[in-house]
Amino acid sequence: MTAPSTRVRALTYKRDEYKCVACGATDGLSWQHRAATGMGGRKARPRLEEGLTACALCNAGEEWAV
């Protein structure tokens, strides 16, 4: 999996108002793919619409998969 660019990561957090899209938490946030990319993923950097902001708890439980 290729990580998002710094710009895409920042725009994603801003779009999601710096909170987890699943539970609204504001701590422990990370950029996540909307859909699983599988082992290895693709080589192109993810675009803004392919990501979302998730907290560590929701990310671990995959509660954010929308």
Side-chain angles (χ1 to χ4, degrees):
M1 171 188 83
T2 303
S5 68
T6 302
R7 180 177 180 272
V8 166
R9 187 180 303 269
L11 288 171
T12 302
Y13 292 156
K14 183 177 180 180
R15 179 199 63 207
D16 296 341
E17 299 177 352
Y18 302 94
K19 58 186 174 187
C20 176
V21 297
C23 72
T26 57
D27 293 326
L29 301 177
S30 62
W31 191 95
Q32 299 299 321
H33 284 93
R34 287 184 180 273
T37 56
M39 296 298 288
R42 59 189 196 117
K43 306 243 185 277
R45 285 193 180 256
R47 299 181 310 247
L48 176 62
E49 59 272 10
E50 296 174 323
L52 50 79
T53 304
C55 72
L57 185 60
C58 290
N59 182 28
E62 297 185 9
E63 301 293 331
W64 47 266
V66 290

